[in-house]
């Protein structure tokens, strides 16, 4: 009977990946992870080169490998796919409501809304909704702005995986 209840509980939790990734993967004795914690951790990797399919600072990162690596270092599990990371959190519809540590998503091309890139919010202008974000770009890990034409045209949405 206990085994059946345990199996049902695990199945239930797995059906809510955002809840599982934020709460179940965080050790019970750890302090609450903040957006500042995530951003501080991410900034340590500025300049690490871009490497497709990688998530290791010694070798390099791709965009989702970078975000999953940074969050994993704070005991929060994210998948290694920008498209699936978009479904792991609570959707944020207004950029003025972004916080440090939120994930922001961009399409792979101007003509598509299909997610192909992800970054971590580092700063937000709550009056305009513009934001800065750290990400693994083709030139390596760097900070960019949502006001840059390239990213402005490709912005798809944002989600929050941290409790606020």
């Amino acid at each position: 009977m206990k085994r059946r209840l345990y199996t049902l509980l695990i199945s239930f939790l797995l059906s809510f990946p955002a809840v599982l990734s934020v709460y179940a993967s965080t050790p019970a004795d750890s302090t609450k992870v903040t957006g500042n914690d995530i951003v501080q951790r991410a900034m340590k990797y500025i300049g690490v080169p871009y490497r497709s399919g990688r998530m290791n600072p010694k070798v390099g990162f791709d965009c989702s490998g970078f975000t999953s690596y940074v969050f994993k270092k704070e005991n929060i599990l994210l998948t290694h796919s920008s498209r699936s990371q978009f479904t792991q959190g609570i959707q944020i519809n207004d950029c003025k409501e972004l916080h440090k540590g939120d994930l922001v998503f961009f399409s792979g091309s101007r003509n598509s809304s299909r997610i192909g890139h992800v970054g971590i919010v580092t700063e937000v202008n709550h009056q305009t909704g513009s934001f800065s974000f750290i990400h693994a770009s083709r030139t390596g890990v760097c900070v960019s702005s949502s006001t840059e034409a390239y990213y402005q045209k490709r912005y798809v949405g944002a989600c929050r995986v941290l409790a606020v």
Side-chain angles (χ1 to χ4, degrees):
M1 180 68 174
K2 283 184 181 179
R3 175 176 255 172
R4 172 95 173 115
L5 286 174
Y6 179 76
T7 303
L8 285 171
L9 176 63
I10 295 300
S11 296
F12 175 78
L13 288 174
L14 289 174
S15 67
F16 296 97
V19 172
L20 184 63
S21 68
V22 173
Y23 299 105
S25 64
T26 304
D29 63 346
S30 71
T31 59
K32 184 175 148 182
V33 178
T34 68
N36 283 333
D37 297 331
I38 295 294
V39 170
Q40 280 183 328
R41 170 79 62 183
M43 291 294 201
K44 293 178 182 179
Y45 306 108
I46 293 278
V48 172
Y50 179 89
R51 296 288 184 269
S52 181
R54 301 298 181 160
M55 55 183 296
N56 183 323
K58 293 178 183 169
V59 178
F61 295 109
D62 66 9
C63 66
S64 58
F66 175 66
T67 54
S68 60
Y69 184 86
V70 169
F71 276 81
K72 184 178 180 182
K73 287 296 184 182
E74 297 295 338
N75 297 313
I76 298 170
L77 302 177
L78 296 176
T79 61
H80 186 163
S81 159
S82 55
R83 272 178 243 134
S84 61
Q85 286 179 8
F86 187 62
T87 66
Q88 284 190 263
I90 298 166
Q91 300 301 305
I92 302 166
N93 297 318
D94 185 349
C95 289
K96 293 178 182 177
E97 295 182 18
L98 288 171
H99 293 287
K100 284 183 179 183
D102 288 341
L103 296 175
V104 285
F105 299 88
F106 304 87
S107 66
S109 73
R110 284 186 298 200
N111 303 325
S112 170
S113 61
R114 186 176 169 158
I115 293 170
H117 191 65
V118 61
I120 301 168
V121 174
T122 57
E123 293 290 333
V124 182
N125 180 327
H126 294 286
Q127 293 178 338
T128 65
S130 63
F131 56 89
S132 297
F133 61 102
I134 187 168
H135 59 123
S137 74
R138 295 285 178 179
T139 59
V141 176
C142 63
V143 175
S144 296
S145 172
S146 65
T147 60
E148 294 173 35
Y150 182 88
Y151 295 108
Q152 209 170 29
K153 293 174 187 173
R154 289 172 169 78
Y155 179 75
V156 174
C159 74
R160 180 167 297 135
V161 294
L162 299 173
V164 177

